[in-house]
């Protein structure tokens, strides 16, 4: 039977029948080229020379003074490419940064952008790219699939091991006037090339390593235990997140295995390049997973907590994760049990519930080893704000829709109470 979908496209069936695990959906979005490995930043002049005559670089003040950054710029210029630099990117990407870059460089002949640094430096490059090419203000593109056409090519180079922004096609912008973070989510934000060089993370400070490591781990957990959506053709055309699927699971399993050993090794010796490489590869896997599966409950609840407490994204997520995992457990016993086996702490012969508990406890042990907080009290959140946080979380429908268990306001309040108290004796199964 033919039906007409919300986008006006006639489809054989708007909602296909649920697939079995073996025939289920798989979907990834990714840069055209991903280059990974120690020292691979030295390929950047060749990559940039092929796509640009005038390169805009977006980074932050810390990165801009490092010898590695200055070497990259010299090498790109030596390859005959004109370089302009915006080195004022701020954490949590304020909208003002996007406006400033577009004002400063919109009239130039910039034909590619290199975003190098943490998540906000790369998110800035991605979102400026589509504003430069499509015109208007970044506000015109808040939401999903609202960008009308491609941007100028973007090259992403991460220098922290966690956000996955080098491969995700979303930029998260803090809009001060609206008092909230908003996403610009479109396949047109996908980078042309991602260059992931673990040597760039060796000088990453311990606090940042902890926050971004916790973030990467949470991405893997939320993608692997997320909702299976069985999207219709029209859903795939209008919504960024298709839910947990066969291809994101491949990346999630690999990422979990890598972080199981590398996070503790990086904490023990921040100069351990092999461990940094594994963490970086895992963060990339996590980025690939969330780019189509999406993040879920912990990310939905963290937004308002970050705004209220001015604490790093990864620490807010870490503090919420024990309670969110326990809340979701009844719907995801098999997946948490598999996590337990991947992390080498679950006996395959034991009951699934035991394996799942072991998996959750191991994730918490990894967060603890990083020095990431496991309760909200440590972050300075006041119980008086729980109601506000719950209301804000339920507005993040793009994320709550990925949570495997339905989240009501009372559910979020209960999660906040357990997370505030650091109550890890709470087992739902
Ligand atoms: Fe995150």
């Amino acid at each position: 039977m033919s039906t007409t979908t919300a986008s006006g496209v006639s489809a054989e069936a708007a909602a296909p029948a649920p697939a079995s695990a073996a025939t289920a959906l798989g979907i990834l979005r990714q840069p055209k080229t991903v280059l990974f490995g120690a020292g691979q930043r030295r390929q950047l002049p060749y990559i940039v020379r092929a796509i640009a005559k005038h390169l805009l670089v977006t980074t932050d003040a810390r990165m801009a003074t490092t010898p590695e950054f200055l070497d990259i710029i010299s090498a790109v210029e030596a390859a005959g490419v004109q370089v302009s630099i915006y080195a004022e990117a701020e954490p949590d990407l304020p909208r003002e940064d996007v406006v400033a870059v577009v004002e400063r460089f919109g009239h130039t002949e910039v034909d590619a952008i290199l975003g190098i640094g943490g998540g906000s430096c790369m998110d800035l490059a991605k979102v400026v790219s589509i504003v430069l090419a499509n015109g208007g203000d970044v506000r015109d593109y808040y939401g999903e699939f609202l960008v009308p056409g491609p941007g100028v090519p973007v090259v992403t180079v991460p220098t922290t091991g966690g956000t996955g922004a080098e491969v995700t096609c979303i930029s998260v912008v803090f809009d001060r006037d609206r008092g909230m973070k908003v996403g610009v989510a479109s396949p047109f934000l996908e980078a042309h090339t991602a260059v992931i060089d673990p040597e760039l993370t060796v000088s990453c400070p311990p606090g940042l390593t902890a926050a971004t490591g916790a973030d990467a781990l949470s991405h893997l957990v939320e993608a692997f235990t997320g909702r299976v959506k069985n999207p219709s053709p029209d859903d795939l055309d209008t919504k960024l997140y298709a839910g947990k699927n066969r291809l994101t699971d491949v990346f999630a399993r690999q990422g979990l295995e890598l972080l199981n050993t590398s996070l503790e090794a990086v904490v023990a010796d921040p100069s351990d390049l092999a461990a940094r490489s594994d963490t970086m590869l895992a963060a990339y896997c996590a980025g690939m997973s969330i780019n189509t599966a999406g993040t879920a409950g912990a990310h939905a609840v963290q937004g308002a907590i970050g705004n209220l407490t001015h604490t790093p994204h990864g620490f807010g997520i870490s503090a919420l994760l024990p309670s969110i995992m326990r809340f979701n457990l009844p719907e995801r016993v098999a997946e948490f049990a598999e996590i337990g086996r991947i992390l080498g702490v679950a006996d395959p012969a034991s009951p699934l519930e035991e394996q799942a508990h072991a998996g959750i406890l191991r994730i918490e042990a990894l967060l603890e080893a990083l020095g990431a907080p496991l309760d909200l009290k440590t972050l300075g959140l006041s119980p008086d704000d729980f109601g506000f946080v719950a209301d804000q979380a339920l507005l993040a429908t793009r994320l709550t829709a990925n949570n495997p268990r339905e989240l009501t306001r009372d559910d979020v309040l209960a999660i906040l109470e357990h997370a505030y108290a650091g109550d890890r004796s709470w087992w739902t199964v």
Side-chain angles (χ1 to χ4, degrees):
M1 188 183 76
S2 179
T3 55
T4 301
T5 64
S7 61
V9 176
S10 178
E12 280 303 306
S20 73
T23 59
L25 171 79
I27 176 171
L28 296 175
R29 295 190 183 91
Q30 55 196 327
K32 286 188 177 70
T33 301
V34 176
L35 183 62
F36 180 91
Q40 293 302 331
R41 67 186 180 281
R42 296 187 182 91
Q43 193 66 25
L44 280 166
Y46 302 93
I47 292 165
V48 170
R49 184 173 69 179
I51 55 174
K53 291 187 169 56
H54 184 178
L55 179 73
L56 170 62
V57 180
T58 57
T59 192
D60 59 30
R62 183 187 80 87
M63 187 65 205
T65 58
T66 62
E68 292 85 359
F69 178 84
L70 298 172
D71 285 349
I72 289 169
I73 300 304
S74 299
V76 170
E77 286 177 333
V81 177
Q82 182 187 347
V83 176
S84 296
I85 299 173
Y86 180 86
E88 296 152 49
E90 298 165 85
D92 298 323
L93 188 52
R95 172 179 166 268
E96 290 84 345
D97 278 12
V98 184
V99 173
V101 177
V102 171
E103 271 179 14
R104 206 179 296 178
F105 300 100
H107 63 283
T108 67
E109 300 284 301
V110 162
D111 48 8
I113 307 178
L114 170 68
I116 177 168
S120 61
C121 298
M122 294 182 282
D123 277 4
L124 179 58
K126 292 185 290 186
V127 78
V128 163
S129 147
I130 57 103
V131 177
L132 284 184
N134 292 289
D137 185 278
V138 59
R139 282 182 172 153
D140 301 336
Y141 308 120
Y142 289 171
E144 290 178 86
F145 281 78
L146 296 178
V147 179
V152 299
V154 169
V155 179
T156 48
V157 182
T159 62
T160 63
T163 66
E166 66 271 23
V167 294
T168 59
C169 54
I170 180 169
S171 289
V172 179
V173 177
F174 178 67
D175 192 317
R176 205 174 306 277
D177 297 341
R178 300 184 188 189
M180 61 191 290
K181 284 185 174 180
V182 283
V184 178
S186 161
F188 287 127
L189 267 75
E190 195 64 67
H192 178 280
T193 300
V195 177
I196 307 168
D197 183 343
E199 286 180 1
L200 293 172
T201 63
V202 169
S203 61
C204 189
L208 198 52
T209 299
T212 54
D215 193 27
L217 184 58
S218 74
H219 292 167
L220 294 163
V221 171
E222 294 217 304
F224 193 65
T225 62
R227 188 176 300 185
V228 176
K229 290 186 173 171
N230 192 36
S232 69
D234 199 52
D235 286 340
L236 282 176
D237 191 53
T238 52
K239 296 186 176 68
L240 195 68
Y241 296 137
K244 168 185 168 72
N245 64 78
R246 285 199 87 184
L247 289 171
T248 56
D249 279 356
V250 172
F251 281 87
R253 289 187 181 103
Q254 176 66 71
L256 286 163
E257 194 178 319
L258 288 162
L259 287 187
N260 194 34
T261 51
S262 65
L263 284 179
E264 287 162 325
V266 163
V267 170
D269 178 6
S271 67
D272 182 338
L273 188 58
R276 289 281 192 186
S277 294
D278 281 355
T279 303
M280 216 47 184
L281 187 56
Y284 156 73
C285 290
M288 290 296 289
S289 298
I290 60 169
N291 204 23
T292 49
T295 55
H299 278 73
V301 181
Q302 186 275 332
I305 294 173
N307 290 344
L308 287 169
T309 61
H310 304 288
T311 49
H313 170 80
F315 284 171
I317 298 288
S318 174
L320 287 163
L321 212 47
S323 306
I324 293 276
M325 289 191 293
R326 284 164 174 75
F327 174 78
N328 287 336
L329 182 56
E331 295 292 333
R332 284 291 177 266
V333 172
E335 285 77 7
F336 280 111
E338 186 174 349
I339 288 175
R341 297 193 297 276
I342 291 168
L343 301 180
V345 290
D347 175 359
S350 66
L352 276 185
E353 287 79 5
E354 263 178 46
Q355 296 183 44
H357 285 205
I360 287 172
L361 292 173
R362 177 62 184 158
I363 289 160
E364 290 164 359
L366 288 171
L367 294 170
E368 266 180 327
L370 277 171
L374 284 175
D375 68 88
L376 289 173
K377 197 173 185 178
T378 304
L379 294 184
L381 183 70
S382 164
D384 295 342
D385 290 322
F386 286 180
F388 173 75
V389 171
D391 291 338
Q392 292 291 304
L394 295 180
L395 291 176
T397 51
R398 185 169 48 82
L399 305 180
T400 54
N402 300 329
N403 206 59
R405 189 173 164 193
E406 206 70 46
L407 276 166
T408 66
R409 190 172 190 274
D410 283 346
D411 293 332
V412 179
L413 289 173
I415 286 166
L416 289 168
E417 276 160 25
H418 287 293
Y420 183 82
D423 174 14
R424 291 158 62 194
S425 65
W426 178 45
W427 290 106
T428 50
V429 169

